Amino acid sequence: MSTANPAALNFRSAVEADVPELVKLVESAYRGEASRGGWTTEADYLDGQRTDENGVRQVISAPDGVLLVVERAGELVACCQLEHRGDHAYFGMFAVRPGLQGAGLGKEILAEAERRARETWHATEMRMTVVNVREELIAYYVRRGYRRTGELTPFPYGDARFGVPLRDDLAFELLVKPL
């Protein structure tokens, strides 16, 4: 009899063979009608792509980072990027399959990412950027100990790699959490 917990999450580094499925996952979590099945959709603010195979490959091959693949019972359910940047780590490309959002997976994955950044790189802080109009998403991170800095970076209007903005007031806000 197996003692493995089928609901347990398995974390591993992404490899080249994961790229197509990771692109589909990220797109489904943030763009288009499929993203409306979860609460992280950006479909009301941004159209077009969230990432592409080149973007995912760049994250996978970054020398100071890792793209974590999160699986449950052998199925890809989420991913997140961790990048070592001196005394802190950057958290990005976080996607949970839309139908599984709202069940605590994100909280568990974020906690594991923070643990890895602290233990692997001795990072003293986790940083991320979130589209400033995503109040519900920002509130989610604030509940997990992140602090809004008010520091904004302009949205890259005109660069289709980041999507097609549906509003003219978008920027990225820096959120930080001590580890």
Side-chain angles (χ1 to χ4, degrees):
M1 184 168 122
S2 172
T3 58
N5 178 357
L9 297 179
N10 177 52
F11 295 80
R12 64 174 175 82
S13 297
V15 296
E16 173 68 26
D18 296 317
V19 170
E21 196 173 357
L22 286 166
V23 170
K24 281 191 246 178
L25 170 67
V26 172
E27 292 298 309
S28 74
Y30 290 96
R31 298 289 199 273
E33 282 308 306
S35 69
R36 294 184 190 280
W39 67 274
T40 61
T41 183
E42 294 174 341
D44 294 329
Y45 314 112
L46 292 160
D47 204 353
Q49 71 177 32
R50 170 71 185 247
T51 193
D52 58 21
E53 290 194 2
N54 262 355
V56 172
R57 279 190 192 96
Q58 285 176 354
V59 173
I60 290 174
S61 65
D64 291 326
V66 63
L67 182 56
L68 289 177
V69 169
V70 184
E71 296 170 319
R72 185 168 60 192
E75 181 183 8
L76 177 69
V77 296
C79 68
C80 67
Q81 169 193 13
L82 284 173
E83 188 177 309
H84 184 211
R85 297 183 179 175
D87 65 344
H88 71 275
Y90 177 80
F91 179 80
M93 204 175 277
F94 188 26
V96 174
R97 187 171 292 165
L100 301 176
Q101 292 176 16
L105 273 180
K107 185 165 114 178
E108 191 174 340
I109 294 163
L110 184 59
E112 175 64 13
E114 291 167 355
R115 184 194 69 74
R116 285 175 181 238
R118 194 174 44 249
E119 292 181 8
T120 304
W121 298 317
H122 307 289
T124 58
E125 186 176 78
M126 184 77 90
R127 296 182 186 179
M128 69 175 74
T129 55
V130 178
V131 176
N132 61 317
V133 298
R134 304 287 320 279
E135 292 296 336
E136 188 178 3
L137 185 57
I138 291 170
Y140 169 85
Y141 289 119
V142 167
R143 287 192 302 274
R144 276 150 196 85
Y146 286 80
R147 178 179 55 81
R148 296 184 80 160
T149 65
E151 187 179 316
L152 299 178
T153 304
F155 187 86
Y157 285 92
D159 188 340
R161 291 177 305 158
F162 295 92
V164 178
L166 301 177
R167 338 176 10 158
D168 63 4
D169 61 344
L170 302 179
F172 294 109
E173 182 170 355
L174 177 66
L175 306 181
V176 298
K177 178 180 180 176
L179 296 178

